[in-house]
Amino acid sequence: MRQTFDESTDPSFGPKHVPLIRAAMAAQGLDGFLVPHEDEHQNEYLPAANDRLAWASGFTGSAGAGVILKDRAAVFVDGRYTLQVREQVDQGVFEIRDLVEGGVPAYLETVEKGAVIGYDARLHSPAALDGLKAAAAKAGATLKPVAVNPLDQAWGADRPAQPMAPITPQPVEYAGEPSSAKRARIGQAVAALGAEAAVITAPASIAWLFNIRGGDVIRTPLPLSQAIINADGSARLFVAPAKVTPDLPAWLGNAVSLETPDRLEEALGDLSGKAVVVDPAQSSAWYFDQLAAAGAKVVRAMDPCTLPRACKNAVELEGTREAHRRDGAALTRFLHWLATEGQVNPPDEKEAVAKLEAFREATGVLRDLSFDTIGAANGHGALPHYHPTERSNERAKLGSLLLVDSGGQYLDGTTDVTRTVAIGEPSAEMVQRNTLVLKGHLAIARLRFPAGTTGSAIDAFARAALWAHGLDYDHGTGHGVGVYLGVHEGPQRISKAPNTIPLQPGMIVSNEPGYYKDGEYGIRIENLEVVMPAEPIPGGDRPMHRFDALTLAPIDRRLIDKTLLTDEEIAQFDAYHARVLREIGPRVEPEVRAWLEAACAPL
C-alpha cells in the first residue's frame, strides 16, 4: 500500500518546536522569522527534510506560510485548509489567518517598530520578498537574510536526511525527443533573450531537459538538482553523487558535466559579466543575490523549459493516451465495485482508497500514485483537498455521495481523475447540483476557442450553469499536468485568476468544476483534456483550438437530471460514454464490461 493514513504531525508540534526556533532566532539577534511552505526548489510536494512549516506548526497542507515572532506567531492558509489547519495546529501558539486576504504582508505591517525579521533567501521568490519587505517597512521593521536558517538549527539532529533517490534515464521512446535536441532548442531560446546562459532550478524542468527522472519527491518522479545551460546547448548539472547511477554520465553525454551541489555557488560566480536568464517565479532570491554579487547581468524571464515542457510532442501524447486507457480500466473496475458491493456494504474512506490503489497496482506498471487519493465520504466531500486519516476516516452512508479524486504515475503518463458516486439513493438536490456541475464540465469539453486564448478567458463557461442558480466553487477549473512528471504543472491553467499564457496544442489541462455544500457533500467531475487544433469551419476567419478528452471512465448516471440538459449536451454526454465503452470495454472482464455497457447506455 503506497498511501498511508497515518498523520505525520500533531498539534503538539507548535508548543514543542516554536520555543526552539525562538531560541535560535534570539542567538542571531532576530525578532522574528518567516517560514514559507516552499523549499529550495519551490516544490508543491516536499521531501520530509524540507517540510519546515509542518515541523514548526503541525500544518501539512500543500500551500501556506508561517511567521514566528518573539511573542506571537501565525499560520496562514487558504480556503481549502480552514478545517484541516484547526485540527493540526495548536491555536494557543499560532493564530490562524487567511493566506489570500491580506496574508503575510498584512501581518508584517503589525510588527513592532525596529523589529528585525529574518528570512532564508533560498526559500522565497524575489517577487514575494519585494512585497514582504514593503510591508515590513510600513511598520518600521526590516527583513534580514540569514546565513543559517534558525529553524533548521532548531530541528537539528532530528531532521530527516535529504532524499538521495537514484536518477534514471527516461528513454526517448517515452520522451519523444533526445536531450541533446532539447538542449540545442533551449540554448537557442536563451540566445534569443540576449543571454549567454540560463540557471534552471525547477526540478520538473531539469527532468524534462535531460530526459531523467528521480524519486526525491513523494508522488512526483523528480530529481532535486540545479543546472546551468549555455546558449550552445552545453550544460552543467549539479546533483548529489549518491544519486548518480553508473549509466548516467553516458546517458547525459559529453556536453553535460556532472558536478556536486557544493560547486553551485562557485559556478554562479563563473557567470560574472555574462547575461543570465533566471525565472523570478521559479527560482529563489538567493540565485539573484549570488548572480548580482558575481557581476552577472540578470535577465528576468520565464524558465525557457517551461513552455516547451507544457506542449507535449506526439510521442508523449500517445504515451499519455495509453496511460489513460490503462488507468481508465483500473478506475472502471473500481466504479463497478462501488456500484455493486459498495451499494450493499458501503465502504469507509480508507477501504475505497485501498481498493482503487489495488486496481491500479494490478496493472503491473504503476510507478506511484500521482498524489494521495482524496476519498471523501459524506460531509468530507465538501473539503476539496481532504485526505482520509486513521482519525478522520468515515464510512459512506446510504443516501450520500462519495467523491474520489485520484491518479497514477506511469512511465508513459500521469493521470488525474475525479468521479462522484451516489451511495444509495441520492437526494433531488444532489442530482440537481451534480447536473449543473456536469453542464459546466461539458461546456469546457466541447468548447472551440481562437488560438491565443488563455484559460482565464474560458473559465466562466464551467461556472455559468452554477452561477444561474446562485452557486459557485472556490478553486480553479483546470491545472496543467505533466507526462510522468507533476500532476500540477504550469504555466497553463483555467481559473478566474488572470493568466497571460495562451492554451496551445499539446498542453494537457484538467477540466474539473465542482460544488460543495459545507458539512453535507461535495461534487466534482474531472477529466484531463489535451488542447488540439480544431477543424476549420467554412466561413471561419481564424485558427481555432479544441479539447480532446484523455480520461476515459463512466460518470454516474444516477446523479443526472436529463431534463436539465440540452439536446446538444445529451448527445455530447452519450458520445463520450460510447467512446469509454469502445476503448475501455475490451480491457475489462466480462462481468465488468456488462456493467459498463449499462453505465454507458445512452441517456
Side-chain angles (χ1 to χ4, degrees), residues 5 34 48 204 230 309 341 361 389 412 463 471 516 575:
F5 306 100
L34 305 180
N230 301 308
R309 170 165 51 90
E341 294 180 42
E361 287 283 10
T389 65
D412 49 3
R463 302 176 190 269
L471 307 170
Y516 309 92

Side-chain angles (χ1 to χ4, degrees), residues 544-596:
M544 305 290 284
H545 294 335
R546 66 179 178 88
F547 292 116
D548 185 49
L550 295 171
T551 305
L552 296 170
I555 295 168
D556 194 343
R557 294 159 49 92
R558 295 175 302 153
L559 287 170
I560 298 173
D561 181 350
K562 183 178 173 179
T563 66
L564 296 178
L565 299 178
T566 65
D567 290 345
E568 181 184 29
E569 289 168 337
I570 291 171
Q572 179 188 358
F573 183 81
D574 286 347
Y576 173 74
H577 265 172
R579 182 181 168 196
V580 170
L581 181 60
R582 184 170 64 251
E583 296 196 35
I584 302 301
R587 292 172 175 255
V588 296
E589 303 75 20
E591 178 187 1
V592 178
R593 181 183 174 108
W595 170 82
L596 184 63

Side-chain angles (χ1 to χ4, degrees), residues 285-592:
W286 181 84
Y287 293 94
F288 293 81
D289 295 344
Q290 293 295 318
L291 289 167
K297 177 188 174 184
V298 174
V299 179
R300 293 189 173 211
M302 181 189 290
D303 173 344
C305 300
T306 299
L307 200 53
R309 170 165 51 90
C311 297
K312 318 304 185 218
N313 61 45
V315 171
E316 289 175 310
L317 287 178
E318 182 47 46
T320 207
R321 287 186 188 281
E322 177 56 26
H324 279 82
R325 296 182 196 107
R326 182 190 312 121
D327 197 73
L331 179 59
T332 296
R333 293 182 178 99
F334 170 75
L335 293 171
H336 166 257
W337 173 78
L338 275 182
T340 52
E341 294 180 42
Q343 300 296 318
V344 178
N345 296 301
D348 64 30
E349 294 164 339
K350 287 171 50 183
E351 290 169 345
V353 168
K355 194 73 173 179
L356 178 51
E357 184 177 319
F359 283 123
R360 283 196 168 105
E361 287 283 10
T363 65
V365 291
L366 181 71
R367 308 292 291 192
D368 198 355
L369 306 177
S370 57
F371 56 97
D372 278 351
T373 300
I374 298 170
N378 313 320
H380 287 158
L383 305 172
H385 280 240
Y386 168 83
H387 295 94
T389 65
E390 294 287 354
R391 180 168 52 87
S392 70
N393 183 45
E394 277 191 18
R395 186 167 298 280
K397 301 171 184 174
L398 290 174
S400 73
L401 300 181
L402 179 66
L403 186 156
V404 182
D405 186 348
S406 67
Q409 291 281 14
Y410 305 92
L411 282 174
D412 49 3
T414 300
T415 69
D416 180 5
V417 51
T418 308
R419 290 294 183 263
T420 304
V421 177
I423 304 297
E425 281 299 315
S427 70
E429 179 187 273
M430 291 173 179
V431 172
Q432 184 239 17
R433 302 292 159 91
N434 184 83
T435 308
L436 297 178
V437 171
L438 176 63
K439 287 171 75 72
H441 176 89
L442 293 173
I444 293 291
R446 71 173 176 272
L447 193 65
R448 291 172 58 95
F449 51 94
T453 300
T454 65
S456 50
I458 67 172
D459 179 77
F461 286 90
R463 302 176 190 269
L466 288 163
W467 285 353
H469 289 77
L471 307 170
D472 201 2
Y473 52 94
D474 294 327
H475 56 74
T477 299
H479 56 83
V481 179
V483 173
Y484 192 42
L485 278 174
V487 75
H488 294 147
E489 176 180 273
Q492 74 275 24
R493 66 175 183 268
I494 304 173
S495 74
K496 293 179 182 178
N499 187 338
T500 60
I501 305 297
L503 295 167
Q504 300 176 38
M507 285 183 170
I508 297 172
V509 66
S510 65
N511 171 10
E512 51 179 311
Y515 171 76
Y516 309 92
K517 187 170 185 179
D518 285 351
E520 295 195 30
Y521 60 86
I523 296 164
R524 190 160 61 252
I525 302 171
E526 177 187 17
N527 283 354
L528 297 191
E529 317 268 359
V530 60
V531 181
M532 301 181 66
E535 290 296 320
I537 292 178
D541 64 358
R542 65 201 62 204
M544 305 290 284
H545 294 335
R546 66 179 178 88
F547 292 116
D548 185 49
L550 295 171
T551 305
L552 296 170
I555 295 168
D556 194 343
R557 294 159 49 92
R558 295 175 302 153
L559 287 170
I560 298 173
D561 181 350
K562 183 178 173 179
T563 66
L564 296 178
L565 299 178
T566 65
D567 290 345
E568 181 184 29
E569 289 168 337
I570 291 171
Q572 179 188 358
F573 183 81
D574 286 347
Y576 173 74
H577 265 172
R579 182 181 168 196
V580 170
L581 181 60
R582 184 170 64 251
E583 296 196 35
I584 302 301
R587 292 172 175 255
V588 296
E589 303 75 20
E591 178 187 1
V592 178

